[in-house]
């Protein structure tokens, strides 16, 4: 299949490019590089030996998107493009609603006008809000998000579900990611956050490589086995393979499915720190600080539906995630060198 990846130069998308190409698909990328580097695509070409057609454009720009769809025939689209920093979304909510919703509405209009009605959407476990029970299942009622970023994902899920009701020719898969970490085994592509990392693993790797002095563990009084927050960390390559499976599924069905992409196993902050130190023989000094507002005790997936519908499950271990994260960071101390 010929597949368009919006936000294709990003962390998860660049890994998905690799897996799609290695599965025999063709990919085209559109990205405005507001949160990514074109270098990541050059390295995907290096890893796969395949050329990638890419467009620098904003998905909100309907004229640009029409030109891209006029010049190419797509069998499916994976919509990664979007602003995704939870904390930032609280301080600039209008930018998040405008960007994430407009880009999706524009994309769907252009897709429909060009007869392309297969869409895989990058959603997030954040739509579950504060879980009342774990593991989280797709049919659980989402009682409300805890930040504007999460609400944009929730609203887009609703928009796409309504689209499918109105036009049953559409095939939509809403992928709810848990906590993606790790990097391609080559060490050539990986997570490259701008500024101080918000998320745990990139913060750990920057401490280990000496860019940051120490990690602050946000709270050790949660209702978990060691008091620190528990999450479902999933290797980004497993996540990427889940997208390949979702595209194959969308090609043979119509309708709308919500699917968790997680491992079903929760690890605490200290589990991650200790595993990272053990696997990589590095030092990660940390202090325990106050809880971060909005954090929950534990959040992890029931992965059964992905196995049943997509024939996909996560295979990489926590050791793989730690080893691959470190290989990327240690061989690219400044990421893609902005
Ligand atoms: C993980 C754990 C923190 C940093 C977020 C988004 C979610 C998704 C994934 C987009 C928590 C603790 C973290 C640090 C710490 N992104 N932590 N010190 O918050 O589970 O999920 O990223 O879809 O939408 O909400 O991930 O990596 O920020 O935190 O102790 O310096 O690590 O308290 O328990 P989170 P995270």
């Amino acid at each position: 299949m010929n597949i368009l990846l919006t936000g294709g130069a990003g962390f998860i998308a660049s890994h998905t490019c690799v897996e799609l190409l290695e599965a025999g698909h063709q990919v085209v990328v559109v990205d405005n590089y507001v949160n990514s580097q074109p270098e990541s695509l050059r390295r995907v070409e290096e890893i796969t030996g395949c050329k990638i057609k890419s467009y620098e454009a904003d998905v909100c720009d309907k004229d640009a998107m029409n030109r891209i769809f006029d010049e190419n025939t797509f069998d499916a689209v994976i919509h990664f493009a979007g602003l995704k920093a939870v904390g930032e979304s609280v301080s600039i909510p209008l930018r998040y609603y405008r960007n994430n919703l407009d880009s999706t509405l524009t994309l769907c209009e252009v897709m429909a006008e060009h007869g392309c009605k297969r869409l895989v959407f990058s959603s997030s476990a954040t739509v579950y809000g504060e879980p009342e029970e774990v593991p989280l299942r797709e049919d659980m009622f989402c009682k409300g998000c805890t930040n504007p970023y999460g609400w944009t994902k929730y609203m887009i899920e609703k928009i796409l579900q309504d689209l499918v009701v109105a036009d049953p020719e559409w095939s939509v898969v809403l992928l709810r990611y848990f906590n993606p970490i790790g990097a391609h085994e080559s060490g050539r592509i990986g997570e490259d956050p701008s500024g101080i990392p918000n998320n745990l693993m990139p913060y750990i790797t920057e401490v280990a490589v000496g860019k940051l002095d120490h990690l602050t563990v946000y709270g050790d009084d949660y209702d978990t086995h060691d008091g620190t927050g528990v999450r479902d960390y999933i290797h980004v390559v497993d996540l990427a393979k889940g997208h390949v499976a979702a595209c194959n599924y969308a090609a043979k069905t119509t309708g709308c499915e919500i699917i968790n992409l997680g491992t079903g196993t929760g690890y605490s902050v200290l589990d991650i720190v200790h595993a990272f130190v053990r696997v990589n023989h590095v030092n990660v000094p940390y202090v325990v600080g106050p809880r971060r507002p909005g954090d929950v005790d534990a959040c992890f997936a029931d992965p059964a539906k992905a196995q049943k519908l997509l024939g996909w499950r996560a295979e990489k271990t926590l050791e793989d995630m730690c080893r691959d994260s470190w290989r990327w960071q240690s061989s690219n101390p400044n990421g893609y060198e902005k």
Side-chain angles (χ1 to χ4, degrees):
M1 291 188 280
N2 191 28
I3 300 169
L4 174 69
L5 284 79
T6 72
F11 171 43
I12 300 167
S14 55
H15 285 80
T16 304
C17 281
V18 170
E19 299 307 322
L20 286 168
L21 290 167
E22 292 188 346
H25 299 288
Q26 297 77 46
V27 302
V28 175
V29 164
V30 55
D31 201 312
N32 63 4
Y33 304 119
V34 74
N35 252 342
S36 57
Q37 300 292 327
E39 172 64 10
S40 68
L41 298 178
R42 204 196 56 72
R43 296 194 186 185
V44 169
E45 292 179 329
E46 173 195 300
I47 292 167
T48 60
C50 302
K51 279 301 285 175
I52 295 178
K53 186 193 283 190
S54 62
Y55 294 84
E56 182 171 0
D58 188 325
V59 183
C60 297
D61 179 344
K62 190 159 187 177
D63 291 340
M65 293 305 288
N66 272 316
R67 277 195 300 277
I68 293 168
F69 275 76
D70 289 343
E71 292 175 12
N72 301 273
T73 302
F74 298 119
D75 300 296
V77 176
I78 309 179
H79 183 31
F80 289 102
L83 298 174
K84 63 167 184 114
V86 168
E88 184 184 57
S89 76
V90 175
S91 52
I92 50 172
L94 292 184
R95 176 131 182 262
Y96 269 69
Y97 286 114
R98 171 65 72 192
N99 182 80
N100 291 2
L101 299 184
D102 264 10
S103 59
T104 304
L105 294 169
T106 299
L107 174 66
C108 290
E109 287 172 348
V110 172
M111 286 177 70
E113 288 157 14
H114 289 79
C116 177
K117 296 184 177 181
R118 293 188 189 121
L119 177 63
V120 174
F121 173 62
S122 164
S123 190
S124 168
T126 203
V127 304
Y128 288 109
E130 295 206 23
E132 285 178 341
E133 60 173 295
V134 283
L136 291 164
R137 260 192 346 274
E138 295 88 347
D139 60 0
M140 282 179 174
F141 175 68
C142 301
K143 62 183 176 50
C145 301
T146 57
N147 57 78
Y149 159 75
W151 280 118
T152 68
K153 293 296 187 182
Y154 180 87
M155 291 174 186
I156 292 166
E157 288 195 1
K158 294 301 176 190
I159 289 167
L160 295 176
Q161 287 168 317
D162 287 346
L163 174 59
V164 169
V165 168
D167 181 351
E169 287 183 6
W170 279 84
S171 179
V172 173
V173 179
L174 307 172
L175 295 178
R176 287 179 179 170
Y177 307 160
F178 280 73
N179 288 58
I181 62 173
H184 188 264
E185 61 186 8
S186 64
R188 297 293 289 151
I189 57 176
E191 191 166 9
D192 184 19
S194 47
I196 305 288
N198 298 305
N199 296 135
L200 179 64
M201 183 55 91
Y203 204 105
I204 288 173
T205 59
E206 290 200 13
V207 169
V209 83
K211 289 183 74 177
L212 295 170
D213 182 62
H214 65 278
L215 169 73
T216 300
V217 175
Y218 295 143
D220 64 352
D221 58 350
Y222 286 103
D223 181 16
T224 64
H225 63 277
D226 63 9
T228 64
V230 167
R231 298 290 184 276
D232 186 330
Y233 297 94
I234 177 169
H235 197 293
V236 65
V237 172
D238 277 331
L239 196 69
K241 290 179 176 178
H243 286 74
V244 179
C247 285
N248 294 335
Y249 177 81
K252 61 186 186 199
T253 62
T254 56
C256 183
E257 288 292 352
I258 297 173
I259 300 178
N260 287 337
L261 290 189
T263 67
T265 301
Y267 289 108
S268 73
V269 176
L270 290 181
D271 289 335
I272 299 292
V273 172
H274 296 326
F276 188 88
V277 168
R278 182 179 72 250
V279 165
N280 295 309
H281 311 294
V282 293
N283 191 26
V284 179
Y286 67 86
V287 298
V288 176
R291 291 185 175 197
R292 180 173 65 177
D295 275 351
V296 298
D297 299 67
C299 175
F300 54 91
D302 178 335
K305 187 173 179 183
Q307 172 71 53
K308 179 166 177 262
L309 281 194
L310 306 182
W312 170 94
R313 61 179 178 78
E315 295 174 346
K316 290 186 178 286
T317 65
L318 177 60
E319 288 70 24
D320 294 328
M321 297 181 218
C322 292
R323 188 176 301 110
D324 295 341
S325 296
W326 178 236
R327 186 182 301 110
W328 154 253
Q329 181 75 77
S330 57
S331 42
N332 302 271
N334 296 310
Y336 292 117
E337 304 286 351
K338 295 159 183 63

